[in-house]
Amino acid sequence: QGFFRLEAQSPPPRQGEAQAMGAYKYLEEFWRKKQTDVFRFLARLRNWEFRQLPAVHRCSRPTRPDKARKVGYKAKQGFLIYRSRVKRGDRKTRVAKGIVYGKPCHHGINKNKACRNLRSIAEERCGRK
């Protein structure tokens, strides 16, 4: 009697059965479905709020904690989060009053493609601040 103890154990979940999702998994699902009413409303509010803030500013916490943790973020001292606004699209040549001198091949102003990606530009601006 003392040697054998029977304990009730729940069987492991089978393939295809619904499991209870954790908080990060729930957030991941939430960000995957961008057409839902709740997400669209939150996105609109968030965008308005970000427009009121400066182009480069420090945030108290990441917008997407699940994604941040996947790339190595931990909620402890020494981890800083900065948000940076970078204009999308082609770059514009800086010329005074739109007047360009020289040969016609150098007269282009609007269709200049950036060599660097937007992420590296954003990181540089945060590093300057």
Side-chain angles (χ1 to χ4, degrees), residues 93 100 104-112:
T93 307
V100 187
C105 65
H106 296 298
H107 279 209
I109 289 178
N110 286 323
K111 295 185 178 176
N112 296 336

Side-chain angles (χ1 to χ4, degrees), residues 1-128:
Q1 292 174 2
F3 293 113
F4 302 104
R5 185 186 305 147
L6 296 173
E7 293 180 5
Q9 289 182 342
S10 60
R14 285 190 221 104
Q15 189 81 24
E17 263 187 38
Q19 278 184 295
M21 288 196 298
Y24 290 117
K25 190 73 179 167
Y26 185 81
L27 271 174
E28 197 179 310
E29 287 290 315
F30 178 71
W31 275 89
R32 203 171 286 151
K33 297 176 176 134
K34 293 187 170 63
Q35 290 296 313
T36 58
D37 293 341
V38 175
F39 188 91
R40 287 165 73 179
F41 175 73
L42 282 174
R44 199 162 62 241
L45 275 181
R46 227 180 251 135
N47 287 338
W48 178 85
E49 193 182 350
F50 291 163
R51 277 201 307 273
Q52 310 311 312
L53 294 166
V56 178
H57 63 275
R58 176 145 177 237
C59 353
S60 55
R61 61 186 72 247
T63 312
R64 298 186 60 177
D66 57 322
K67 183 96 169 202
R69 278 177 63 85
K70 278 186 179 173
V71 295
Y73 169 79
K74 294 274 193 309
K76 60 182 188 181
Q77 283 185 331
F79 282 85
L80 305 178
I81 302 283
Y82 275 85
R83 193 176 290 119
S84 176
R85 188 185 313 141
V86 181
K87 290 228 169 142
R88 298 180 358 170
D90 296 342
R91 304 290 113 188
K92 212 172 171 185
T93 307
R94 294 188 50 150
V95 288
K97 300 179 184 173
I99 303 164
V100 187
Y101 302 100
K103 300 269 189 272
C105 65
H106 296 298
H107 279 209
I109 289 178
N110 286 323
K111 295 185 178 176
N112 296 336
K113 312 294 179 258
C115 302
R116 297 164 57 203
N117 57 21
L118 299 182
R119 178 181 164 179
S120 72
I121 294 169
E123 285 173 357
E124 183 194 340
R125 287 181 189 174
C126 290
R128 268 197 234 133

